[in-house]
Amino acid sequence: MKFKKRHALQEIASIINCKYIGDADFPVYGMNEIHVVVPGDIVFVDHPKYYDKALQSAATIILINKEVDCPEGKALLLSDDPFRDFNVLTRHFKPFQFSNVAISNTAVIGEGTVIQPNTFIGNHVEIGNNCLIHSNVSIYDHTVIGNNVIIHAGTVLGADAFYYKKRPEGYDQLVSGGRVVIEDNVGIGALCTIDKGVTGDTTIGEGTKIDNQVHIGHDTVIGKKCLIASQTGIAGCVIVEDEVTMWGQVGTTSGITIGAKAVIMGQTGVTKSVEGGKSYFGTPIEESREKLKQLANIKKIPEILNKLK
């Protein structure tokens, strides 16, 4: 998430009421999760296991709960609870905006786009030309939709990321300040849910087609010309490269990459990153030809046992 203007380190520290290490005028341009940070971003870390990763990341401002040596060219924000203060910053720079109309007056809707009854379009949404948005679709604030997109009834774009920290009193949600971006010529079926990024974008690439009842988690990037069949669930921070096919009831873990032109057969559990250009099946996932051989061999076990008797 990029800020509308440059801020100084001292300004950011005053918002969350914390100490800092570095030049008071050190430049801050945005905030992001560790897998997508760039120079000028704030990243937070609250566990010793990840200190080095955060300190050595591309982020130049580290919101951290321990005073450590500050890497050259970077700055530290010292907080007793970085998770809480990251939320404070998200709410400060991207506060929730109430809406009491079906289509916000700040939404931009292109020529030739048709919006069916009972659809909600939030603040600062952008929709391109010649789109068809069917009834009862909910499009949350800041969502961006390209040209020639079809979205079927009951789909929700931009719900919060499923991202929680366990506290003694329960689960504390990480506030989502990102967006959903739908590129040109995408088709989205009925009753799909695509969550916005925590601080970045959840992106559906040009020409991708999504069946009914598909869920796509926060900050996931789906490539161009992919096919995703019904009841598939894709976790957060997944990269699905171009022209991947995912058949029905596929499920994935988070933070993995599915290579270009891979085919994931139905009911497969994608538990790790996989290369492109191959077909996969089963849980845990394996190349489909090998997995099907294993299943054929399992069927022979009763026959083998009878021979041994």
Side-chain angles (χ1 to χ4, degrees):
M1 180 171 70
K2 292 301 175 191
F3 302 149
K4 292 180 180 178
K5 64 175 186 177
R6 175 195 184 279
H7 291 271
L9 181 68
Q10 188 176 39
E11 291 179 69
I12 303 298
S14 67
I15 293 169
I16 56 177
N17 192 28
C18 76
K19 295 195 302 180
Y20 62 88
I21 295 175
D23 185 345
D25 196 43
F26 191 91
V28 185
Y29 293 99
M31 52 192 289
N32 233 322
E33 289 188 278
I34 195 162
H35 62 286
V36 286
V37 286
V38 296
D41 281 349
I42 303 167
V43 69
F44 84 90
V45 61
D46 58 4
H47 194 289
K49 181 179 177 181
Y50 302 109
Y51 284 169
D52 286 344
K53 184 176 181 180
L55 291 163
Q56 294 167 17
S57 71
T60 45
I61 305 95
I62 296 87
L63 177 60
I64 190 169
N65 57 348
K66 182 180 179 181
E67 188 165 337
V68 297
D69 292 335
C70 183
E72 187 176 351
K74 299 193 177 188
L76 303 180
L77 292 162
L78 303 176
S79 165
D80 63 337
D81 193 335
F83 188 99
R84 176 201 66 208
D85 287 339
F86 200 77
N87 277 346
V88 170
L89 291 173
T90 300
R91 290 190 180 101
H92 179 86
F93 288 106
K94 209 162 192 180
F96 174 77
Q97 290 182 265
F98 172 76
S99 182
N100 61 357
V101 293
I103 299 177
S104 170
N105 58 14
T106 59
V108 177
I109 300 171
E111 184 178 346
T113 287
V114 175
I115 298 169
Q116 296 283 71
N118 299 320
T119 283
F120 170 75
I121 298 177
N123 301 295
H124 309 291
V125 167
E126 298 175 23
I127 302 176
N129 300 327
N130 302 313
C131 295
L132 174 55
I133 315 295
H134 284 278
S135 60
N136 298 306
V137 170
S138 292
I139 302 174
Y140 285 37
D141 293 3
H142 302 286
T143 297
V144 177
I145 298 172
N147 302 315
N148 307 308
V149 171
I150 298 173
I151 304 174
H152 284 277
T155 282
V156 178
L157 304 183
D160 285 346
F162 189 74
Y163 192 138
Y164 293 86
K165 181 180 180 65
K166 191 172 184 179
R167 307 274 196 185
E169 62 275 14
Y171 290 98
D172 192 4
Q173 186 175 25
L174 189 63
V175 175
S176 297
R179 307 184 301 175
V180 170
V181 176
I182 310 294
E183 296 182 354
D184 294 349
N185 304 308
V186 168
I188 302 175
L191 299 174
C192 293
T193 53
I194 302 175
D195 292 346
K196 62 188 168 188
V198 170
T199 48
D201 294 339
T202 302
T203 304
I204 312 299
E206 182 180 357
T208 285
K209 309 299 181 184
I210 299 172
D211 197 1
N212 302 328
Q213 296 181 319
V214 169
H215 172 72
I216 296 173
H218 70 91
D219 295 285
T220 282
V221 177
I222 308 293
K224 301 179 188 302
K225 299 179 186 175
C226 294
L227 285 176
I228 303 174
S230 180
Q231 297 183 357
T232 287
I234 302 175
C237 304
V238 172
I239 296 173
V240 179
E241 295 182 348
D242 295 347
E243 297 184 50
V244 168
T245 299
M246 304 176 79
W247 293 120
Q249 297 186 333
V250 167
T252 82
T253 191
S254 62
I256 60 168
T257 298
I258 299 174
K261 298 185 179 180
V263 176
I264 313 296
M265 296 175 68
Q267 296 191 327
T268 292
V270 189
T271 53
K272 61 183 179 181
S273 294
V274 294
E275 295 178 9
K278 297 178 180 179
S279 176
Y280 298 93
F281 176 60
T283 305
I285 190 171
E286 294 185 63
E287 284 193 55
S288 56
R289 190 160 37 179
E290 179 60 31
K291 196 72 171 183
L292 292 170
K293 282 181 186 177
Q294 292 173 14
L295 293 174
N297 289 333
I298 289 170
K299 287 183 177 181
K300 294 178 182 177
I301 289 175
E303 180 187 341
I304 293 168
L305 291 174
N306 284 333
K307 285 183 179 179
L308 288 172
K309 286 178 183 177

